[in-house]
Amino acid sequence: DTGVSQNPRHKITKRGQNVTFRCDPISEHNRLYWYRQTLGQGPEFLTYFQNEAQLEKSRLLSDRFSAERPKGSFSTLEIQRTEQGDSAMYLCATSEFDEQFFGPGTRLTVL
Amino acid sequence: DQQVKQNSPSLSVQEGRISILNCDYTNSMFDYFLWYKKYPAEGPTFLISISSIKDKNEDGRFTVFLNKSAKHLSLHIVPSQPGDSAVYFCAASENAGNMLTFGGGTRLMVKP
């Protein structure tokens, strides 16, 4: 499968714990995006990389959130001291040109 | 402030008929628009896109229409099939490749 992959697919954690998600892009896609989707809403932009450079961050991305894309390939999104409000689907998308192609997402549940 | 709105949360259509999904936007800087389809427990799947220099783009059963003066776009699916049943999101960006702003989605149900 050469699509965007995300791991884990599901994560259940207790409030206050740290979690890390991984996204592996379609090869040769130099742009990588993170979005968050809550129930009944459309995805909301979090942050965007071109190669290894983080070019844009949403104000939704509090200082508990950090994203990296070392070497411009896979990316990680870490949430520190999770809160119940962080429960959502975290989506990764990548693009080479105009269209963004999404992975299956990681569903986070914070108890 | 919701910059992209899909005012119909759901739409039910008979198989073989036309499905029309609508989307409105407020940001006049948006110049690239996309439609995605989403099944439960999966990420959004890209369907079709349109640049602001066009008013129509067609791909098989899917056609997207853009009315810049009204800040409105629509997705037409003809003929509708039961497999088209899913949630459809419209999205917009300022320049292709930039961050996407999504609408809230419309759930389409195509009845056999």
Side-chain angles (χ1 to χ4, degrees), chain A residues 6 11 16-17 19 27 30-31 33 47 52 64-66 69 74 76-77 83-85 89 96 98 100 104:
Chain A
Q6 292 188 246
K11 179 70 178 179
Q17 298 294 306
V19 293
S27 60
N30 58 358
R31 294 176 178 169
Y33 314 77
T47 190
E52 65 273 15
R64 295 186 297 107
F65 287 68
S66 63
R69 193 183 183 196
F74 72 91
T76 58
L77 178 67
E83 301 172 356
Q84 288 185 324
M89 175 76 84
E96 185 178 13
D98 298 338
Q100 295 181 24

Side-chain angles (χ1 to χ4, degrees), chain A residues 2-59:
Chain A
T2 57
V4 179
S5 62
Q6 292 188 246
N7 289 288
R9 293 292 307 275
H10 303 274
K11 179 70 178 179
I12 299 174
T13 191
K14 292 183 179 179
R15 187 162 48 98
Q17 298 294 306
N18 299 344
V19 293
T20 300
F21 310 139
R22 176 177 169 128
C23 172
D24 287 274
I26 296 170
S27 60
E28 298 179 353
H29 280 199
N30 58 358
R31 294 176 178 169
L32 187 146
Y33 314 77
W34 285 99
Y35 294 83
R36 180 173 68 186
Q37 184 177 21
T38 53
L39 199 61
Q41 304 294 319
E44 294 177 295
F45 170 77
L46 293 178
T47 190
Y48 153 50
F49 291 84
Q50 178 145 348
N51 299 313
E52 65 273 15
Q54 189 173 19
L55 297 187
E56 195 166 352
K57 289 166 58 173
S58 164
R59 64 180 184 279

Side-chain angles (χ1 to χ4, degrees), chain B residues 12-112:
Chain B
S12 183
V13 170
Q14 204 67 33
E15 181 179 5
R17 305 294 293 268
I18 185 171
S19 295
I20 300 176
L21 298 101
N22 294 303
C23 179
D24 297 293
Y25 62 96
T26 57
N27 186 344
S28 57
M29 298 299 291
F30 287 148
D31 62 3
Y32 189 67
F33 305 88
L34 308 89
W35 284 94
Y36 286 86
K37 176 171 71 173
K38 189 178 185 302
Y39 294 117
E42 295 183 10
T45 301
F46 169 73
L47 279 176
I48 192 168
S49 61
I50 189 167
S51 164
S52 61
I53 62 173
K54 295 184 175 181
D55 54 19
K56 176 183 174 181
N57 190 25
E58 195 170 351
D59 184 1
R61 296 186 298 116
F62 302 93
T63 303
V64 56
F65 295 91
L66 176 63
N67 183 334
K68 291 184 289 294
S69 60
K71 293 190 177 67
H72 177 84
L73 65 154
S74 61
L75 175 68
H76 292 209
I77 307 173
V78 181
S80 302
Q81 300 173 352
D84 296 329
S85 297
V87 178
Y88 288 77
F89 292 97
C90 69
S93 69
E94 300 179 26
N95 298 322
N98 282 357
M99 56 166 278
L100 295 176
T101 301
F102 282 84
T106 296
R107 181 176 300 280
L108 173 65
M109 292 163 284
V110 180
K111 298 179 180 178

